[in-house]
Amino acid sequence: MEVGYSQAQAQRVLKQRNMLVLACASLGVIALFALVGAASKDREVVLQPVLTNPLTISSQGVSRQYLELVTRDASVLMFNRTPQNLEYWIESVLKITHPSAYGRLKGELLKIANDQRGSSVAQYFTIEAMKVDPAGLTSEVTGVLHTLVGRQEVSAIKRTFRFDWTYSGVELRLVGFGAVVPPGEASKSGGPAAIPTDSTDALQ
């Protein structure tokens, strides 16, 4: 009786061991295939065409390179518009705007678009210099703001614009911008050194 019981116990243990060995072997095969697949898979890095190095973003903060690129693109977007692209212009600016500034900025953009719609006035901006502060989440871009009526350029004014940003998670969003007034001009007019950066007067 005891011999039969011992044999049954041995058979049960042997069966459990075999199942465990089979499970380990299956997991090993799966891991091997996963490693082979990962090694043979093409590595993909998202690059903008003008970049020479991979660009990464982190929840720890914004890199100088990333802030420069976003400021460059935001400047081109913000200060280049025609009566024909106003709807796209508004939609694109609002896509990079933080929710806290969305309503106010949308109202200002719509006001500008309504004034320009149906006219022949267009603007474009040529960048000459840029300063960025990743720690303070601000950036300044200097260049020439060109205004055209039809095909004729009626003004070309050197301006500096400041952008204020907020960074949450891995999202950089616009919270304000405005034209920086040189100290000399501010003292002549008695006004502040800079237009508040939640103003869109610089767009008009």
Side-chain angles (χ1 to χ4, degrees):
M1 189 73 175
E2 291 182 1
V3 173
Y5 178 77
S6 297
Q7 288 179 343
Q9 282 289 97
Q11 290 292 332
R12 190 178 302 110
V13 171
L14 183 62
K15 185 177 180 180
Q16 290 176 349
R17 187 194 66 181
N18 290 340
M19 291 179 64
L20 182 60
V21 170
L22 182 61
C24 291
S26 300
L27 290 174
V29 172
I30 293 174
L32 180 62
F33 276 111
L35 288 174
V36 171
S40 61
K41 185 178 180 181
D42 292 337
R43 183 168 176 260
E44 297 180 356
V45 177
V46 178
L47 290 176
Q48 293 193 26
V50 297
L51 295 184
T52 56
N53 298 314
L55 178 66
T56 60
I57 56 177
S58 167
S59 58
Q60 300 299 317
V62 179
S63 69
R64 176 172 295 275
Q65 184 185 27
Y66 182 63
L67 186 55
E68 286 178 355
L69 290 172
V70 173
T71 301
R72 181 198 65 187
D73 291 349
S75 300
V76 172
L77 170 66
M78 196 80 69
F79 307 117
N80 289 264
R81 72 181 192 275
T82 68
Q84 290 74 34
N85 77 338
L86 291 175
E87 298 303 325
Y88 173 80
W89 174 70
I90 293 174
E91 181 180 342
S92 299
V93 173
L94 292 178
K95 281 182 179 179
I96 64 171
T97 301
H98 190 265
S100 63
Y102 189 94
R104 168 179 48 79
L105 188 56
K106 183 176 181 180
E108 295 293 336
L109 295 177
L110 287 172
K111 187 190 305 181
I112 294 170
N114 289 335
D115 290 341
Q116 189 176 1
R117 190 172 285 113
S119 71
S120 57
V121 178
Q123 283 187 328
Y124 69 95
F125 185 65
T126 52
I127 300 174
E128 295 181 350
M130 185 185 303
K131 294 191 303 183
V132 298
D133 178 10
L137 289 176
T138 61
S139 51
E140 290 186 4
V141 58
T142 299
V144 178
L145 184 64
H146 304 262
T147 302
L148 298 89
V149 177
R151 296 186 178 182
Q152 182 177 359
E153 183 172 282
V154 295
S155 70
I157 305 173
K158 190 166 185 176
R159 304 288 293 274
T160 297
F161 298 100
R162 171 174 162 165
F163 293 84
D164 289 336
W165 307 91
T166 183
Y167 190 70
S168 177
V170 290
E171 281 193 341
L172 183 66
R173 294 295 185 96
L174 181 69
V175 291
F177 67 94
V180 177
V181 180
E185 292 185 15
S187 61
K188 290 177 184 178
S189 62
I195 296 175
T197 54
D198 62 352
S199 170
T200 53
D201 294 342
L203 296 175
Q204 302 186 51

